[in-house]
Amino acid sequence: MAGKSYNEINIGDSASFTKTISESDVYLFAGISGDLNPAHLNETYAQGTFFKGRIAHGILCSGLISAVLGMQLPGPGTIYLRQELNFTAPVHIGDTVTAMVEIIEKLEKNKLRLRTTCTNQNGGVVIDGEALVSPPKK
């Protein structure tokens, strides 16, 4: 299975992936990453923060962008080169997050610039940024 090559991609092409963030996702990510921040894992602690409850790791949610890039657009064989992320709102356990990528520029040397956005189930933007990738060669 191969993704789209540079020549098969047009400015404006887009793709998305949606996932509901579960408590298990947060605990597994904490174990894998070593980020045991109580804002993610300890409800009593998190109730005392301005979020008023536990939130998912921002980087866990941004991983959904990687799923779109690696599996859909450009797809398998894509090399993820750079990512700028702006975390604009928290993701709570049970939120459904949609990661969307859109081709915004075709650069020289087989490189693509993409807008990357994650929204919650209410349409609120939780992550906004840009990525640079190299799509697979055919």
Side-chain angles (χ1 to χ4, degrees), residues 70-130:
M71 299 307 297
Q72 295 182 52
L73 183 67
T78 297
I79 304 300
Y80 206 161
L81 300 170
R82 184 174 62 220
Q83 178 72 59
E84 174 189 311
L85 297 170
N86 298 299
F87 299 99
T88 57
V91 172
H92 299 276
I93 294 170
D95 281 356
T96 299
V97 176
T98 298
M100 195 275 296
V101 304
E102 178 185 3
I103 307 296
I104 57 174
E105 187 176 8
K106 293 178 80 171
L107 304 168
E108 295 178 4
K109 298 183 181 179
N110 198 49
K111 304 278 189 302
L112 301 169
R113 191 166 65 100
L114 303 95
R115 178 169 181 175
T116 57
T117 308
C118 293
T119 56
N120 63 22
Q121 66 277 4
N122 301 318
V125 175
V126 298
I127 299 174
D128 189 34
E130 285 190 10

Side-chain angles (χ1 to χ4, degrees), residues 16 33 70 99 129:
S16 64
S33 68

Side-chain angles (χ1 to χ4, degrees), residues 9-120:
I9 293 171
N10 298 301
I11 293 173
D13 287 354
S14 64
S16 64
F17 174 72
T18 300
K19 177 175 179 31
T20 299
I21 305 300
S22 70
E23 185 170 37
S24 295
D25 294 328
V26 171
Y27 279 110
L28 288 169
F29 187 82
I32 291 166
S33 68
D35 181 351
L36 306 176
N37 185 328
H40 308 303
L41 304 178
N42 183 317
E43 183 62 33
T44 302
Y45 173 88
Q47 285 292 327
T49 69
F50 56 89
F51 298 120
K52 303 297 182 210
R54 291 185 298 149
I55 57 170
H57 301 75
I59 294 296
L60 165 62
C61 299
S62 71
L64 303 180
I65 296 167
S66 181
V68 181
L69 296 172
M71 299 307 297
Q72 295 182 52
L73 183 67
T78 297
I79 304 300
Y80 206 161
L81 300 170
R82 184 174 62 220
Q83 178 72 59
E84 174 189 311
L85 297 170
N86 298 299
F87 299 99
T88 57
V91 172
H92 299 276
I93 294 170
D95 281 356
T96 299
V97 176
T98 298
M100 195 275 296
V101 304
E102 178 185 3
I103 307 296
I104 57 174
E105 187 176 8
K106 293 178 80 171
L107 304 168
E108 295 178 4
K109 298 183 181 179
N110 198 49
K111 304 278 189 302
L112 301 169
R113 191 166 65 100
L114 303 95
R115 178 169 181 175
T116 57
T117 308
C118 293
T119 56
N120 63 22

